[in-house]
Amino acid sequence: NHASSLFEIVMPSFTGTSKYDTILVCYAKSLAEIGDYYSAASYFQNYVKTFPSSDSCEVCQFMAGYCYYMLSPKIQSIHPYPL
């Protein structure tokens, strides 16, 4: 994904600035979009720890949970029940 590659390049330049929190969320979302749920969850959790009073904190907590859900094994019934 081009977006995540670009965020990897620009993120260090924004560290310590007022835009870093926005860049971090966008990068985490771009990772989730390409299916890198483990990395995305890590960045979402990092955001929550770093910016606990941010307006985006609740969304990031949800997205971290969603990423872990997507990483969890899917259970399939051996004998499907007829509807």
Side-chain angles (χ1 to χ4, degrees):
N1 184 335
H2 295 290
S4 60
S5 300
L6 291 174
F7 282 121
E8 285 177 12
I9 294 169
V10 301
M11 241 175 45
S13 301
F14 284 91
T15 303
T17 68
S18 61
K19 297 290 182 189
Y20 182 70
D21 61 331
T22 305
I23 298 291
L24 189 62
V25 171
C26 291
Y27 181 53
K29 285 181 179 179
S30 71
L31 290 172
E33 289 277 328
I34 62 171
D36 187 356
Y37 297 114
Y38 185 79
S39 296
S42 176
Y43 277 100
F44 283 124
Q45 285 184 316
N46 182 32
Y47 181 91
V48 171
K49 289 178 185 173
T50 307
F51 305 101
S53 60
S54 170
D55 292 339
S56 300
C57 196
E58 189 174 329
V59 172
C60 288
Q61 287 175 321
F62 172 83
M63 288 302 296
Y66 174 77
C67 289
Y68 286 124
Y69 166 76
M70 294 302 290
L71 288 168
S72 66
K74 308 300 181 244
I75 299 173
Q76 295 180 357
S77 175
I78 295 172
H79 303 288
Y81 292 101
L83 297 177

